[in-house]
Amino acid sequence: MYHIPVCPFSQRVEILLSLKGLSDEVDFHTVDITKPRPEFLLELTKGTTAMPVIDVPGKTAIKESMVILRMIESMFPDPPVARLDPHEHALESLLVEKQGAFTTAGYMMVMNQDEAKRDEFRERMLKLYREMDAVLVDYAPGDTFFFGRFGWSEVIFTPMFMRFWFLEYYEGFELPEGAEYDRVRRWRAACLAEPHAQQVTPEEINKLYYDYARGKGNGALPEGRSVSTFTFEPHWRDRPMPPKDKYGPGATDEALGLIQTVSR
Ligand SMILES: N[C@@H](CCC(=O)N[C@@H](CS)C(=O)NCC(=O)O)C(=O)O
């Protein structure tokens, strides 16, 4: 599997492999998003640059996280993560249907550079949380997870809940109090605590996604900067927390710890 360690779409696959006890059966190769993709990788993807991609020995490589998840689930059915009962799988799929809109809303909100539009983006996120809450209330038999355990919809959403730590940090966005968010709040908390889903931390996310908070995604550079916050070097652990104020003047490479200043 070719992946970007902090990518939520890659994390979905990592969580599923971990739940199936297959993490050690797969060779993971990290891809530096800030550099052009090597030729062999573009051949595997037929020219697209997004990760993850899984190179299945002797077969055509497969991209797109949702497609990869389904393939792994069918190839390695034991233990099942998606519900085996077709009707139960349809129920959990009602929630999964929201993943695209949810992902887009969160990324658009963190990337928004127009302070006057903050409320608009916040409302869009809250509306989606209310819709997810309603699906859980109306269709989920479980009290925390959709069913009694961390399963299919949880694999798909948990990496997004973790990326959206950047909304707490850069936008001060928290789920408000209120009954209309109670069910989804419980679900989210249980997802975040899942032992098989601890691949990333808030510190890592908030340091790496600073450039997203400045409106630049996928390794692109904000004006005046020369090193992406997605870079592997220097390691994120060795860098300071970025400023939370995404609408103020941008931090420099030096302030972000991306360039070591030589002391004389
Ligand atoms: N729809 C894709 C999205 C994958 C995606 O956007 N990956 C990002 C990293 S989080 C990426 O590789 N971006 C770099 C690029 O597109 O060149 C999936 O579900 O796998």
Side-chain angles (χ1 to χ4, degrees):
M1 173 159 141
Y2 295 87
H3 74 138
I4 296 160
V6 82
C7 167
F9 308 98
S10 302
Q11 194 192 358
R12 284 176 172 165
V13 181
E14 289 162 45
I15 296 171
L16 186 65
L17 289 169
S18 175
L19 286 165
K20 289 182 180 289
L22 291 171
S23 303
D24 294 339
E25 307 297 319
V26 177
D27 288 329
F28 289 97
H29 303 274
T30 51
V31 175
D32 186 343
I33 199 178
T34 65
K35 307 210 169 104
R37 305 287 173 279
E39 202 51 46
F40 80 90
L41 201 52
L42 293 171
E43 275 170 33
L44 287 184
T45 59
K46 317 284 183 204
T48 56
T49 55
M51 298 293 123
V53 55
I54 240 174
D55 188 6
V56 190
K59 297 199 163 121
T60 312
I62 300 293
K63 58 186 177 182
E64 286 299 329
S65 61
M66 295 297 293
V67 178
I68 295 172
L69 292 183
R70 282 188 210 102
M71 178 180 73
I72 293 173
E73 185 68 5
S74 311
M75 277 173 128
F76 306 98
D78 195 28
V81 173
R83 300 307 284 189
L84 290 172
D85 177 87
H87 182 258
E88 287 185 356
H89 183 55
L91 293 179
E92 63 192 0
S93 301
L94 288 173
L95 192 50
V96 172
E97 278 295 301
K98 304 271 177 210
Q99 63 86 18
F102 184 67
T103 301
T104 305
Y107 273 81
M108 283 183 68
M109 185 170 174
V110 76
M111 293 181 79
N112 169 46
Q113 299 301 292
D114 182 352
E115 210 169 348
K117 292 210 170 121
R118 285 180 80 178
D119 283 350
E120 206 176 293
F121 284 101
R122 183 184 142 81
E123 262 322 301
R124 194 175 307 175
M125 268 322 278
L126 289 177
K127 181 167 179 284
L128 278 154
Y129 269 113
R130 286 193 299 273
E131 288 174 13
M132 285 154 60
D133 190 276
V135 174
L136 286 160
V137 167
D138 293 338
Y139 296 99
D143 186 47
T144 51
F145 295 129
F146 198 103
F147 289 95
R149 59 169 170 78
F150 188 94
W152 190 244
S153 58
E154 287 82 10
V155 168
I156 290 159
F157 276 92
T158 301
M160 294 310 157
F161 289 144
M162 292 179 164
R163 294 314 165 283
F164 295 174
W165 284 323
F166 57 45
L167 298 179
E168 292 175 27
Y169 190 78
Y170 292 110
E171 286 287 350
F173 176 86
E174 305 267 359
L175 261 186
E177 294 294 312
E180 57 202 350
Y181 302 105
D182 277 354
R183 182 66 184 87
V184 75
R185 195 197 323 278
R186 278 208 306 285
W187 184 54
R188 179 180 176 275
C191 287
L192 291 175
E194 164 60 34
H196 287 280
Q198 300 305 311
Q199 290 83 358
V200 290
T201 62
E203 180 189 354
E204 177 179 10
I205 297 294
N206 292 330
K207 286 182 178 175
L208 266 69
Y209 280 85
Y210 176 75
D211 289 350
Y212 274 77
R214 302 294 304 181
K216 301 289 179 191
N218 285 327
L221 285 170
E223 221 179 277
R225 293 259 315 286
S226 65
V227 184
S228 163
T229 49
F230 261 74
T231 190
F232 288 174
E233 282 282 322
H235 195 281
W236 57 266
R237 274 196 201 90
D238 304 326
R239 308 184 216 158
M241 287 308 290
K244 285 185 167 198
D245 175 17
K246 58 175 269 199
Y247 298 101
T252 59
D253 290 328
E254 287 84 358
L256 293 164
L258 297 167
I259 288 181
Q260 310 296 2
T261 35
V262 187
S263 50
R264 292 156 194 264

